[in-house]
Amino acid sequence: MTLVWHSLADVPRDLGPTVVTVGNFDGVHKGHRAVLAELVAAAHARGAKAVAVTFDPHPKAVHAPEHQPELITGIDDRIERIAQTGVDGILIQEYTLDFAMATPEEFVRDYLVGGVGAVAIAVGGDTRFGRGNAGDIETLRELGEKLGIDVDIIGDAAAPHDGARRWSSTWVRELLDEGDLRAAADILGAPHRLRGTVIHGDKLGRQIGFPTANLDVYAGFIPRHGVYAGWLEVVDPGDNASAASLLGERLPAAISLGINYTVGTKDLRVEAFVLDREGLDLYGARVALDLIEWERPMLDFGGIEGLVAALHEDVAWTRKVLGVPAL
Ligand SMILES: Cc1cc2nc3c(=O)[nH]c(=O)nc-3n(C[C@H](O)[C@H](O)[C@H](O)COP(=O)(O)O)c2cc1C
Ligand SMILES: Nc1ncnc2c1ncn2[C@@H]1O[C@H](COP(=O)(O)OP(=O)(O)O)[C@@H](O)[C@H]1O
């Protein structure tokens, strides 16, 4: 069981010695997972607990909102995916301008050693930390000596193919922009996930035989526009009892993400037609959409007839991709 703390004050005083790593871990891709796995092994080998310290919001959102990359996942998926690596604790440090004033020494001494009980710190070689990002691994080694803690620099986990390009959040974002969700999932170690609340759309879907759950997306990088095969899962039904009965089920879906040119909408719509479940009621529920494969761009079919014909083909394609035979 991984404990999750939302501030330093939540960290139990009797936690015992820990080995700590620090990072944003956007996407929790294979490179991150390699670091976290080494952290867990190093901590447990010395009878200590493994703790990951991560920041929310993203430091760039605080220092340079105009250059802030859209995060691959929201904080819920980040926590869930870090927890899967077997760490004992995750500290979500609220990133504020005030927090950012801490010097490298103050951060290591007051937060990692004093707050989390670090007897060792394990980080990747490109780690930067503290006010103005002044701290690097050299700083960390000096601080380690001064404060009497070990510093482990974890080697780079390069991808074994593709000319050994380093796994990175930037690479994942590029693949998502290209619609290569398979390659993105390979680096992420899990399908790309959007989360959203089901809201009311234009009520046209049910009239044309394809009711769709329209999502107000609150987390997850918006990939290339188009039609996708994916899975819908209710993660929080709210007070919708019918959605509550679906908790834990993965429902196959044909997903449309983009501008509905055919019906003249101008804004981004993300909507999912769940296969073989005409009577669903999902309004108000929070759902996750795992996007598995991109099929085609959003098109203007010139009228409802053309749209409906395309939807039948999309559903047939979705069945093949997800391995869901027709009823
Ligand atoms: C699998 C799928 C593919 C879709 N492809 C397109 C498309 O290429 N062009 C388009 O204008 N709308 C497309 N749509 C969106 C429909 O226009 C939309 O679902 C319909 O207008 C109903 O909208 P409503 O949920 O707001 O009632 C697609 C929807 C689904 C489920
Ligand atoms: N097979 C299905 N897939 C997705 N949503 C469905 C399905 N069957 C019924 N629904 C429900 O119907 C609503 C969609 O109907 P629709 O006519 O498209 O209305 P809206 O325009 O409000 O999305 C969804 O939000 C959901 O609650």
Side-chain angles (χ1 to χ4, degrees), residues 152-269:
D152 265 355
I153 305 305
I154 298 172
D156 216 48
H161 49 78
D162 268 326
R165 178 170 179 185
R166 198 170 173 268
W167 284 314
S168 68
S169 307
T170 306
W171 191 6
V172 172
R173 278 192 210 99
E174 283 171 20
L175 292 166
L176 295 174
D177 277 333
E178 290 163 12
D180 194 346
L181 280 272
R182 296 269 189 199
D186 189 47
I187 299 174
L188 289 171
H192 180 53
R193 171 166 277 204
L194 303 179
R195 290 187 186 230
T197 307
V198 178
I199 52 170
H200 291 268
D202 298 328
K203 312 282 184 232
L204 180 66
R206 64 192 69 182
Q207 292 173 40
I208 62 175
F210 290 94
T212 53
N214 288 48
L215 265 66
D216 181 11
V217 174
Y218 61 84
F221 184 96
I222 297 295
R224 179 176 184 183
H225 289 191
V227 177
Y228 289 88
W231 299 93
L232 181 149
E233 199 181 314
V234 173
V235 290
D236 177 0
D239 49 18
N240 180 332
S242 145
S245 71
L246 297 167
L247 266 175
E249 270 192 77
R250 267 157 54 88
L251 305 168
I255 297 157
S256 144
L257 182 156
I259 316 287
N260 296 345
Y261 301 107
T262 311
V263 293
T265 55
K266 302 251 182 314
D267 53 334
L268 171 77
R269 300 275 172 108

Side-chain angles (χ1 to χ4, degrees), residues 27-82:
V28 198
H29 57 64
K30 281 180 173 171
H32 296 140
R33 287 176 198 242
V35 168
L36 292 162
E38 283 206 37
L39 169 80
V40 171
H44 293 178
R46 59 196 295 163
K49 300 241 165 66
V51 174
V53 176
T54 191
F55 304 105
D56 185 51
H58 193 283
K60 280 221 174 97
V62 173
H63 293 298
E66 65 286 6
H67 299 302
Q68 132 93 335
E70 201 189 332
L71 295 181
I72 297 168
T73 75
I75 190 71
D76 294 345
D77 286 304
R78 196 190 322 169
I79 294 172
E80 210 173 286
R81 291 172 188 201
I82 292 176

